[in-house]
Amino acid sequence: RRHGAHRAGPGRRVTRPARAPGGGVELRVEDDPDPADLDALDAGVAEATLRATRLPEPRPLAVLARQDGVLVGGAHGWTWGGCCEVVTLWVSEERRGCGMGRALLARVEEAAARRGCRLVVAFTHDVQAPGLYRAAGYTLVATVEGYPAGGAAHWFRKPLGRVIPMG
């Protein structure tokens, strides 16, 4: 066992607790945090954000591609406050290079516009699909070099030309 670490259950390693300002609060680094704790963190941020913005909750959005019932590609994210974020876009190896990624992205944009969105944003790494976003008319907003080591991460945006009324 390494110095300063102990097991907190099966597969869990935590460092010795440190004291946080405010008295009585311990700070621990956990390598394998409880998913319920992560959900609680996300819920806390979401609640504070919704309270501050007074916007409705984000709505999940997914476009899935199946062949004979098997998932061969898809995109998912959410819409919120007139924006859509593409969190994941994936196409199976055998389907890459045939336009499926572009078709998935176009369907996401159409669905987002129907929900009243005026902007789509996406985050990707240079080993993933930055060329797809550029080809689909997205503008590079920022690049973070060295994320991950030896690579880069890219943040893209695309204004949606017309908002399709819901109906």
Side-chain angles (χ1 to χ4, degrees):
R1 190 163 47 183
R2 291 194 303 247
H3 176 72
H6 67 276
R7 292 270 173 208
R12 289 206 161 135
R13 185 181 66 78
V14 296
T15 61
R16 287 192 181 141
R19 292 284 177 205
V25 176
E26 291 182 351
L27 302 177
R28 292 180 186 255
V29 175
E30 298 188 18
D31 292 334
D32 186 20
D34 185 328
D37 290 338
L38 302 181
D39 289 344
L41 294 174
D42 290 341
V45 169
E47 181 182 321
T49 301
L50 293 174
R51 194 171 47 249
T53 62
R54 297 187 174 127
L55 292 169
E57 289 192 28
R59 289 178 57 196
L61 175 62
V63 177
L64 304 175
R66 297 184 191 278
Q67 182 174 19
D68 300 323
V70 176
L71 188 68
V72 295
H76 82 87
W78 45 263
T79 59
W80 177 67
C83 300
C84 173
E85 181 172 354
V86 178
V87 175
T88 298
L89 190 149
W90 171 79
V91 174
S92 65
E93 288 279 337
E94 60 275 3
R95 298 280 176 226
R96 291 181 188 164
C98 67
M100 184 180 293
R102 186 77 173 265
L104 289 165
L105 200 50
R107 293 296 299 270
V108 166
E109 293 168 6
E110 291 166 10
R114 277 194 297 280
R115 291 184 181 188
C117 294
R118 298 182 183 281
L119 178 70
V120 178
V121 295
F123 179 86
T124 190
H125 291 277
D126 57 1
V127 296
Q128 294 171 335
L132 169 68
Y133 292 103
R134 284 186 189 97
Y138 284 70
T139 302
L140 180 65
V141 175
T143 295
V144 179
E145 297 292 340
Y147 178 47
H154 309 282
W155 190 251
F156 288 92
R157 72 185 305 268
K158 180 179 182 179
L160 297 177
R162 70 170 223 227
V163 174
I164 302 167
M166 295 172 60

